[in-house]
Amino acid sequence: MYFPSLTRLKDYEVEYELIVRFDLWLSKLSGSQRKGIRPARFASDERIDYNIANELFALAAFKIKLLHANYEVYCPYCTHELVKVFSDIDEIPEKLKCNECGKFFNPYEFDEYIEITFDLLVQPDPDGFPKIKNKLKTNVFGSISSIKSSSKRSSFSVQELLISPLGKEEIEAKLFIPDWQAYNVAYNRFILSLADGVSTEEKGKALEAISCLILSFITFFRVDSTVHTLTNQIDVTVTVRPYFKYIEIPLLRVIKRRLLCECKNEDENVPSIWVDKLAAGIDKVDNCKVGIIFSRHKFSGDDLKHAKASQIEHARLNKYILNFPKTDFDLVHNNQCNILNFLDDKFEELEMRIARRASTVL
Ligand SMILES: [Zn+2]
């Protein structure tokens, strides 16, 4: 193989023969041909389906890292006018000006005009062929075609990528970037803070530190704990990325632009009054509908009933107060969970409770 890493494509059920053709085709590119490669060129040279070529290139970029994806934004008004090339999807702005026609547009509203091309990152290994044994499955074209072309165009649009499972995985990988080593440190500090004799200040700070940390793993949250240090409140600003429209994040349906969190590292159970207090706090903040109470204990006893009732009352008014107790920190510690999915689940559970309540009332 000229590019030995391509053998890993067999993990994605790409048939051996296709891998070898792809390998050979890439090895023949030289100089500037290695930049801005269009999968359609490979498809027409090798007479294979455009969708298969698109998926092959996407796998080689996002899974194998042999290629790098470029996002070429074309003007939707004057056809074929290249406005700008971006090397990361996060860099594409919501407003761009075409220098040809002078019109402004939001690239994401015309995502079929964002074309993906690829740069080859690695030089071919001149004496690296042939190496792998021909013992691969043969029926593979069927399983590789999860990227469906929405148009007859031969270009590979960002729309086609992002609606495919591979594209969704790429987006999800951008949303949650944990640092488990830092989490272990913060978790141990939090556990130590639960002991008798630890100062109230340290208890508060230990819980606040671990809460800020897990929120910071969610890349579209900007965490600010400096504003309300006296009350152990954490203020979170949410940056909604345009490509979120391709994926389902239940929390984003209600989260708006702000999130308010309260840390309560106290010996007692979580009193229901905190739910009401946080809900009242949320009212004073623009564009804020969700609050999280990070605490040592869960809601329990009579307070559990009241707190849950308050949660539902507030949720009916579109204010969602979630609880994240120590047992959740334990779960995250033991399973290295995706915090975003974890919060989504909590939110969905609350929504289900509202629905159940509504149906029993009816
Ligand atoms: Zn234009």
Side-chain angles (χ1 to χ4, degrees):
M1 297 286 284
Y2 294 103
F3 303 99
S5 62
L6 282 179
T7 53
R8 279 167 40 218
L9 284 173
K10 67 183 181 346
D11 298 343
Y12 302 96
E13 297 184 39
V14 182
E15 70 170 3
Y16 175 71
E17 193 219 328
L18 183 58
I19 298 175
V20 171
R21 279 161 75 189
F22 188 39
D23 182 63
L24 186 62
W25 187 85
L26 286 173
S27 76
K28 288 179 182 160
L29 302 174
S30 61
S32 63
Q33 293 178 327
R34 293 190 177 141
K35 301 248 175 243
I37 311 164
R38 289 181 160 70
R41 254 169 57 201
F42 174 66
S44 67
D45 284 358
E46 296 291 316
R47 294 174 187 210
I48 61 163
D49 187 274
Y50 285 125
N51 295 330
I52 290 172
N54 288 347
E55 181 141 355
L56 203 53
F57 275 73
L59 285 170
F62 301 118
K63 296 293 178 192
I64 313 289
K65 312 280 181 200
L66 177 70
L67 305 173
H68 174 80
N70 308 303
Y71 301 87
E72 299 186 354
V73 180
Y74 288 83
C75 176
Y77 304 110
C78 22
T79 20
H80 303 310
E81 177 66 19
L82 177 62
V83 179
K84 208 169 173 184
V85 183
F86 298 91
S87 66
D88 191 299
I89 199 163
D90 270 321
E91 292 169 6
I92 303 172
E94 287 179 69
K95 196 176 176 187
L96 259 184
K97 188 187 178 187
C98 169
N99 287 327
E100 185 65 24
C101 65
K103 286 181 183 158
F104 286 94
F105 63 98
N106 177 351
Y108 281 96
E109 283 173 15
F110 302 95
D111 49 12
E112 69 273 31
Y113 290 92
I114 306 176
E115 188 182 344
I116 305 176
T117 64
F118 298 87
D119 294 347
L120 183 56
L121 297 174
V122 178
Q123 297 284 338
D125 177 358
D127 45 31
F129 196 86
K131 277 235 173 87
I132 59 167
K133 283 185 194 144
N134 189 352
K135 56 160 190 155
L136 285 147
K137 301 164 213 156
T138 47
N139 63 334
V140 181
F141 277 90
S143 57
I144 193 187
S145 53
S146 60
I147 290 178
K148 294 272 186 288
S149 177
S150 58
S151 64
K152 293 273 183 284
R153 285 155 34 100
S154 58
S155 66
F156 184 19
S157 78
V158 79
Q159 186 192 48
E160 285 163 63
L161 173 70
L162 295 183
I163 60 174
S164 76
L166 183 63
K168 286 192 205 312
E169 255 181 62
E170 269 306 295
I171 299 177
E172 276 158 17
K174 282 179 177 295
L175 302 185
F176 180 68
I177 302 179
D179 177 348
W180 294 118
Q181 219 173 341
Y183 185 79
N184 281 344
V185 173
Y187 178 77
N188 290 336
R189 179 184 174 188
F190 174 50
I191 296 300
L192 287 174
S193 79
L194 306 179
D196 290 338
V198 176
S199 72
T200 315
E201 193 193 359
E202 170 56 16
K203 283 182 197 296
K205 283 194 167 163
L207 178 59
E208 190 184 302
I210 194 170
S211 305
C212 284
L213 187 69
I214 62 162
L215 291 168
S216 74
F217 293 169
I218 298 172
T219 55
F220 56 92
F221 283 180
R222 206 181 67 232
V223 182
D224 184 0
S225 62
T226 56
V227 199
H228 312 281
T229 33
L230 285 175
T231 53
N232 294 116
Q233 217 172 62
I234 308 168
D235 206 336
V236 179
T237 315
V238 181
T239 318
V240 176
R241 309 291 310 175
Y243 50 76
F244 285 1
K245 69 177 178 181
Y246 301 101
I247 49 167
E248 174 73 3
I249 308 174
L251 204 58
L252 276 181
R253 290 205 299 270
V254 293
I255 210 169
K256 309 287 177 204
R257 296 285 169 151
R258 295 282 287 278
L259 189 66
L260 217 54
C261 306
E262 191 82 44
C263 299
K264 296 286 182 194
N265 193 356
E266 289 165 25
D267 295 330
E268 308 88 43
N269 293 334
V270 177
S272 57
I273 188 81
W274 287 349
V275 176
D276 299 327
K277 274 190 175 168
L278 188 54
I282 279 174
D283 274 343
K284 296 187 190 111
V285 181
D286 285 341
N287 273 318
C288 185
K289 290 289 170 198
V290 176
I292 304 174
I293 298 173
F294 292 102
S295 60
R296 186 188 309 188
H297 294 284
K298 294 180 189 186
F299 301 133
S300 61
D302 272 350
D303 278 323
L304 173 71
K305 237 190 296 174
H306 295 141
K308 288 200 159 184
S310 303
Q311 262 183 315
I312 289 175
E313 285 316 307
H314 294 301
R316 283 215 180 102
L317 304 168
N318 300 319
K319 283 181 288 177
Y320 299 89
I321 311 294
L322 305 175
N323 181 215
F324 200 103
K326 176 188 167 289
T327 47
D328 286 343
F329 286 111
D330 298 339
L331 269 174
V332 171
H333 180 254
N334 297 334
N335 305 310
Q336 304 200 329
C337 327
N338 181 321
I339 315 287
L340 182 58
N341 295 344
F342 202 86
L343 291 177
D344 265 346
D345 289 347
K346 281 180 174 293
F347 174 69
E348 284 199 304
E349 187 216 15
L350 180 58
E351 275 196 323
M352 296 255 289
R353 263 166 44 207
I354 300 164
R356 270 205 302 275
R357 253 300 185 79
S359 64
T360 41
V361 170
L362 288 171

